[in-house]
Structure formats: C-alpha cells, structure tokens
Amino acid sequence: MEYAIIFLPLIGSLLGYFGKSLTKYFSEITTSLFVTISAIMSIIVFWNGFQNNIYGNYKIFEWISSGGFIANWSINIDPLSSVMLVVVTFVSALVHIYSIGYMSHDPHKPRFMSYLSLFTFSMLALVVSDNFLQLFFGWEGVGLCSYLLIGFWYKKESANNAAIKAFIVNRIGDFGLAIGIFLIFFFFGTINFEETFNIASQYSEKTLVFFGIEANLITLICLFLFIGAMGKSAQFLLHTWLPDAMEGPTPVSALIHAATMVTAGVFLVVRCSPIFEYSQVALNLVTIIGMITAIFAASVALVQNDIKKIVAYSTCSQLGYMFFAAGVGAYHVAMFHLFTHAFFKALLFLGAGSVIHAFKDEQDIRNMGGVRKKLPYTYTFMLIGTLALTGFPFLSGFYSKDAIIEFAYLKNSSLGNYAASIGIFTAFLTSIYSWRLFFKTFHGPYNNKKISIDETHESPLVMLLPLMLLSIGAIFSGYFFKNIFIGSSNNDFWQLSIFFLNEIKYEAIPLWFLLTTPILVLIAIPTSFYLYIINPKTLEDFKNTNIPLYNFLLNKWYIDELYEKVFVVTAKKIGSFFWKKGDIGIIDKFGPDGISKLVKIISNKTGRLQTGFIYDYAFVMLLGLSVLLTYLILK
C-alpha cells in the first residue's frame, strides 16, 4: 500500500500525458482516479499509525553505494510523513477533480493534469524520504513542476516571466540547501536522517572557519538548510516569486499554496528539529524571519486588488506563522497549523477560481460585487474559508493560529513575546484583508462593466464538490485534531519524528491574552464592512493624502524595485560590458569574425591575380619556376 501511495500519481502522470489521444476524458479520469486512490490509502496509513502505531521504513532499492556512502530510495512512514501524506494527497485529489471542470475548455488539459500528478509524486517523494539526497530529488522535482505549471499558458508573456522568476528565486534557496547537505556529509559522514540526527549532539560545540569567520558547525548547517526553506516557502527576501505565481491556472495556485511546494520548507525545518534544537542562533533567525514575513505579507494583502494575489499573500503570511512557531520550538504546533491551513487555503483558492469562472476570467475585486444571490454555494464556501482563515472561534484556524500565539507567549522569552505580539497584530490584519476580499466580491453594488450580472453563474458540480469537502475540513479539522497534534504531551503522537530538547510546557495563560485575538478578529468584521461597503469614501480620501503608506504597501515595500536596481540592472550592465567588450570586442573580433575577415581580404587580393591575360599567367608561372629552382640549388 505504501508503494502504491507514492507511485500511483507517477503512473497517472505518465498515462495521462501519453494516453491523451485514447478517449476524450482519459487523462482527466486516470490522473484524478489514481491520486484519489492514493489519498484514500494515505488516510488508512495515517489511521494505522495513529491507532495501532504501525510505522516503518520500506526500501525500494539502493540508489547510490560508494565506499561508506549509501543512499537508498525508501518510503519512510512515521507520524510526520503520514500527516504530510494525507495533506498532499487529499488536497491534490480534490484539485484534480476541480480541474476537470475549471480546465474543461483548455485544449491542453491532458498535459495540465499530467503535470499536476507529477507535482504530487515529487512532493510525496520528498516527504517520505529517509535521507537528504532523496529529499533533494523531491525538492528539485516540485521546483521543476512549479515552473511547468506556473508557465502552463506559455503563450502568455507574463506567465513565462513568472515561471522563470519562480525558478531562479528557488535556485537561490536550493543552493543554500545543497551547501547544508554538503556540510552534513563532509562532517557527519552520512546523509541518512536517522544517523545524522543521532550524532548531531556530538557536534554541538564544534566550530570551523567559514570565509574567514569562526562559526559553530550546527548553526552553519541550520542556516543553510533554512535558506533552502526560505526559498521554497517564500519567506521574506525570497518571497518575490509567490505573488507572480498567480499567473498559472487557479488549481495550480491551490496545489502550490495549500499542500505542496510552499509547505516543503516548513516540513524541512520540522524534520530537521534534532539539528535545529542545538542552535539557538538558527532558531532565533527562523523566528525573526517568520515574524517579518507574517506582518509583511499581511500588510501588503490589505491593498491588493487581484483576488488570487490577496490569497497568495495570505499564504505567505500564514507560512510566517508556521516558521516562528518552529523558531520558538513549537514544531508540533507549526505542523498543526500546516495541516489546518491546507484545508481552508485550498478552499479559498478554489473558491476564488469559482468566482473567476463566474466572472469570465475577471480577477480584480473592484470589478465584482453584489453576486451573493447569483453564486450561493460559492458564497457559502468562501464564507467558511474566510472564517477559518481569520481564526473565527471554533473553526480550524482558531485552534491552530491561536495555539501558535499561545506557545510563543509560553516560550517566556523576549523574542517569544515579540512573536506573540506580531502574531496578534497580524491576525487582526488578516481579518481585515480577508473580509475586504469577501465583501467586495459578494456584497455591495455590482461593478463589472464588461458582463451583466445575469451572465454570472454558479460553477458546475465537479467544481463545487471539492469545495464542499474542503469546507468540512476547514470547519472540523482544528477541533478533532488539536488533542492529537498538540495534546498534553508533544511526544504522544509525534514520538521520535520531532525532537524537543527544551519542550514548552503548556501552563495557565491569562484570560485577557486568550481573548485578545478572538476579540480583534470579531471587531474586524463590522470594521471591514463599514470601510469597504458602507463608507468606502473614508479610505479613498486616505489614499489621496500625502501619506506614502498606501503606495508603500501597494508596491510591496518596494522589494521588487530594490532587487531590480541592485541585482537585475547591475547584472544587465555587467553582462552588457562583457558582451560588448569581451564577446564582441575580443572573442568575435579575433575569432570567427577576425578569421572570416582575414579570409575575405586574402580572397580579394588573390582574386585580383585572375586578370584573364595569358602573359600575366606566364609571368606567375615563370616566377614560381624561379623560386623552385632557387630552392633546389640552395638545398
């Protein structure tokens, strides 16, 4: 069964791509069916592990064996990987089914479905790995698939640019991850997880000189691993690819943002908790980057107008929550939020796709509004997703997001208190931008000038069914899984898959602290309705003032512009210099261009000898004979 979970999506991908000409719906049905079977089996594996403690490592074959270095292809099933199997396969199966309706008019949908299944296989290979090399294979696999899916509409220039941007930014993170793996192999002599984690404590005090700076080995390894996580999970400074990734079809956005690529970074940090626990410096950096990402993305989402980009920045912000949870040592809480987030974020993305489908590919929320009665099911599902994301009491986001804030507070450190404060404020901003999206999409006057309100329509059942199933997860996943994931003892469920050197004990928390976040979340609902529906003139007047805050947020803190000037323009100038001076001025001048020019000159000179007069030819022959005789006499 474990083998089938991993390889069914790969088989589906191959059959879907090469069997596209067999019948009309062969690719859609095959890929969706195989991933759905994989999802059902993943749930069974999770249940067997939870109820009967059935875990194990299933070796597929020996991949590399050189001296003492051995790397296997394995399926490592433990509590951490079993949770990720459920998240990846369940969301992926629903995205596949949803795509049957959403991509129904696309002539290249077999290729699209094949890419989705390949994406799923790559992520599964990543999460069940028992060594860093197999993890790196899956890591690069999801990077490749993201490039293929973001740039799926390759005739669209903006989609191509977004795909290239995602690929390049992720290469930066992947380079850091590769260095981290090299350091582990060089010093530990192994890349196997179990062996690495068992001896990590022995190197906790070891230092080495890196670029002339003395640094702790464990800290250095953790920093490079985290750089890899920053790239994949779009953390601050390496986040710029994520909003542009919205150029891909909406199902791609749901799969990337909810279950696969962006969760890989969080998974890596949690999986490597036995290493990170021995470096407080690295954990502090994870916390700081997570805090900055959470508030940065939430602030930018406040002013975005593209419905998908708002949800994308929301993903970025929620990943920030997960990272600062891991940074304060609450790895299990980070995984709990990753689990619940998968349901309501996939719900929001697919719900946004349903809205875009109804408005005939319109994505600007300023051109929507007033369609709650025309799209009753989409309205209900988006309402559930919004309530869950904002942390409305007793929905999934309430349990996991508040748990992160509480554990940051329980850390009882200055950085933990900062993280808790940032988490509370970010929760308020999350509620504001989420309700802004919801109200401007479904409430108020109808603002679309291109199509009439009568032309908008509800999505087909094949698109609504995945939304209904995700809604159930968005409502109940927090309540039913809280005690399992973050119960009284962290090790009851997670066992040895997560390592706690200094476990945070759950203690009594002041009532005012527990109530602060829910109260702010509730206050944001009428506040948003007033500002965006009843009296939008207030914010319009604020935009027209000389205060630069609106433009600062609209331009995403000018990070892209900064990168453009510092890296892109500089790289172009350097490239232009070497191209003109080096390539053209030296290589071409003295290479192919120089040789061809010389040949041309010689040819022209030689051509002049061809006069057509016999006495000229006789003179040349006589001259040649004289030279030959001279040579023979001298010899």
Side-chain angles (χ1 to χ4, degrees):
M1 184 163 58
E2 288 78 9
Y3 295 96
I5 291 173
I6 307 304
F7 289 107
L8 277 176
L10 178 61
I11 296 170
S13 175
L14 296 173
L15 291 176
Y17 189 85
F18 293 107
K20 54 189 175 184
S21 59
L22 294 178
T23 60
K24 185 177 180 181
Y25 294 106
F26 178 81
S27 297
E28 293 94 314
I29 293 172
T30 303
T31 54
S32 300
L33 178 63
F34 281 20
V35 175
T36 301
I37 294 172
S38 182
I40 294 170
M41 290 180 173
S42 295
I43 294 171
I44 294 172
V45 167
F46 172 80
W47 183 254
N48 285 337
F50 171 61
Q51 284 290 95
N52 305 316
N53 200 33
I54 300 176
Y55 298 111
N57 190 300
Y58 306 90
K59 180 180 175 181
I60 301 173
F61 61 85
E62 191 174 85
W63 187 7
I64 298 173
S65 178
S66 177
F69 174 70
I70 297 175
N72 296 324
W73 265 98
S74 298
I75 300 175
N76 181 40
I77 304 296
D78 64 359
L80 182 59
S81 61
S82 67
V83 170
M84 291 300 297
L85 286 178
V86 172
V87 170
V88 174
T89 56
F90 183 76
V91 173
S92 180
L94 296 181
V95 168
H96 275 73
I97 296 169
Y98 179 92
S99 299
I100 296 174
Y102 190 86
M103 301 293 289
S104 60
H105 300 296
D106 195 291
H108 305 292
K109 55 183 176 291
R111 178 166 60 89
F112 179 78
M113 301 299 289
S114 176
Y115 287 169
L116 284 182
S117 291
L118 184 62
F119 203 162
T120 306
F121 165 72
S122 298
M123 189 65 188
L124 292 176
L126 189 159
V127 300
V128 300
S129 57
D130 73 345
N131 62 79
F132 283 100
L133 193 60
Q134 184 182 333
L135 179 141
F136 194 74
F137 170 85
W139 194 271
E140 293 302 303
V142 294
L144 170 63
C145 293
S146 69
Y147 171 78
L148 295 173
L149 286 167
I150 294 169
F152 177 75
W153 288 320
Y154 57 86
K155 294 182 180 179
K156 187 178 175 185
E157 185 179 359
S158 57
N160 283 324
N161 292 337
I164 292 170
K165 187 175 183 179
F167 198 78
I168 291 174
V169 173
N170 273 278
R171 294 293 71 71
I172 298 170
D174 295 352
F175 182 66
L177 174 61
I179 293 176
I181 296 173
F182 293 155
L183 286 172
I184 289 171
F185 174 67
F186 185 79
F187 287 99
F188 292 12
T190 179
I191 55 170
N192 181 276
F193 287 152
E194 185 178 359
E195 295 172 0
T196 300
F197 299 156
N198 285 339
I199 62 176
S201 59
Q202 301 173 20
Y203 293 86
S204 59
E205 303 299 327
K206 182 175 178 58
T207 60
L208 70 155
V209 177
F210 189 81
F211 286 111
I213 302 173
E214 187 176 12
N216 179 270
L217 174 62
I218 295 294
T219 298
L220 210 54
I221 290 172
C222 291
L223 291 180
F224 280 115
L225 293 178
F226 181 57
I227 289 172
M230 286 175 64
K232 275 291 180 285
S233 295
Q235 293 301 282
F236 186 68
L237 299 180
L238 292 180
H239 68 278
T240 52
W241 66 270
L242 194 65
D244 292 9
M246 297 303 99
E247 291 293 336
T250 301
V252 174
S253 305
L255 192 58
I256 290 178
H257 287 243
T260 55
M261 186 166 169
V262 297
T263 61
V266 179
F267 170 80
L268 175 66
V269 173
V270 175
R271 171 62 80 194
C272 295
S273 57
I275 304 177
F276 276 86
E277 281 291 276
Y278 290 102
S279 175
Q280 191 58 47
V281 173
L283 288 175
N284 289 345
L285 180 66
V286 173
T287 306
I288 292 168
I289 294 294
M291 287 192 300
I292 295 173
T293 305
I295 196 166
F296 156 75
S299 66
V300 172
L302 288 170
V303 298
Q304 296 299 306
N305 297 309
D306 186 309
I307 187 171
K308 287 171 66 177
K309 285 193 176 181
I310 295 171
V311 185
Y313 276 110
S314 169
T315 298
C316 200
S317 181
Q318 297 306 305
L319 288 164
Y321 271 102
M322 298 175 206
F323 273 107
F324 79 65
V328 298
Y331 305 99
H332 55 315
V333 185
M335 287 302 301
F336 181 40
H337 192 52
L338 184 153
F339 181 78
T340 60
H341 175 264
F343 293 104
F344 59 74
K345 189 50 59 69
L347 175 61
L348 285 170
F349 264 115
L350 297 185
S354 183
V355 172
I356 294 167
H357 182 76
F359 278 94
K360 298 182 178 178
D361 297 327
E362 176 61 66
Q363 295 186 195
D364 194 324
I365 60 175
R366 294 172 296 185
N367 298 327
M368 300 178 183
V371 292
R372 65 184 185 279
K373 293 182 180 178
K374 294 288 292 181
L375 311 174
Y377 298 112
T378 300
Y379 176 84
T380 303
F381 295 140
M382 286 290 283
L383 176 61
I384 293 171
T386 302
L387 289 170
L389 170 63
T390 58
F392 192 84
F394 309 116
L395 272 75
S396 59
F398 167 76
Y399 292 100
S400 58
K401 188 189 294 183
D402 281 26
I404 289 175
I405 296 171
E406 290 166 16
F407 272 81
Y409 175 82
L410 290 170
K411 180 68 174 176
N412 198 25
S413 65
S414 56
L415 195 58
N417 293 334
Y418 283 128
S421 302
I422 292 293
I424 292 171
F425 183 61
T426 301
F428 177 70
L429 296 182
T430 301
S431 194
I432 292 289
Y433 71 68
S434 298
W435 290 111
R436 171 179 177 260
L437 181 154
F438 182 79
F439 290 140
K440 289 183 78 68
T441 301
F442 295 103
H443 290 264
Y446 183 78
N447 298 313
N448 198 295
K449 303 292 191 297
K450 296 180 181 178
I451 60 173
S452 68
I453 191 170
D454 294 327
E455 293 181 70
T456 59
H457 57 85
E458 189 60 271
S459 297
L461 181 62
V462 72
M463 292 173 63
L464 293 177
L465 180 61
L467 293 176
M468 183 185 71
L469 295 175
L470 288 168
S471 295
I472 295 172
I475 296 171
F476 298 111
S477 62
Y479 176 78
F480 283 110
F481 287 93
K482 180 182 179 182
N483 287 333
I484 296 174
F485 286 1
I486 56 172
S488 56
S489 176
N490 300 340
N491 292 318
D492 285 349
F493 171 72
W494 298 107
Q495 299 180 25
L496 298 178
S497 61
I498 297 179
F499 177 70
F500 299 95
L501 185 63
N502 299 299
E503 184 177 341
I504 300 175
K505 299 294 183 182
Y506 196 88
E507 302 170 353
I509 299 175
L511 183 62
W512 65 267
F513 186 84
L514 293 174
L515 294 177
T516 300
T517 306
I519 289 173
L520 288 175
V521 166
L522 294 172
I523 289 174
I525 300 175
T527 303
S528 300
F529 191 76
Y530 176 79
L531 291 175
Y532 298 113
I533 301 298
I534 297 176
N535 188 15
K537 189 175 182 298
T538 304
L539 289 176
E540 291 298 325
D541 292 340
F542 177 75
K543 292 178 189 177
N544 296 327
T545 62
N546 293 324
I547 300 175
L549 179 61
Y550 176 74
N551 286 329
F552 179 71
L553 297 180
L554 189 64
N555 288 283
K556 301 159 287 189
W557 292 23
Y558 294 102
I559 301 296
D560 281 284
E561 288 77 5
L562 177 64
Y563 285 174
E564 178 75 21
K565 289 186 176 181
V566 174
F567 298 113
V568 179
V569 173
T570 304
K572 283 182 177 179
K573 287 180 178 179
I574 295 172
S576 178
F577 172 80
F578 282 108
W579 172 52
K580 290 180 179 178
K581 301 294 184 182
D583 198 11
I584 296 176
I586 299 175
I587 297 174
D588 286 351
K589 183 177 180 181
F590 297 104
D593 290 350
I595 293 171
S596 61
K597 188 175 180 180
L598 181 62
V599 169
K600 187 176 180 180
I601 292 171
I602 295 172
S603 299
N604 290 335
K605 298 291 185 183
T606 306
R608 292 177 184 176
L609 298 176
Q610 307 298 319
T611 63
F613 296 111
I614 193 168
Y615 52 80
D616 286 334
Y617 298 146
F619 174 73
V620 172
M621 292 170 65
L622 184 60
L623 190 64
L625 182 60
S626 301
V627 172
L628 179 60
L629 290 172
T630 304
Y631 172 74
L632 292 173
I633 292 170
L634 293 175
K635 187 178 178 183

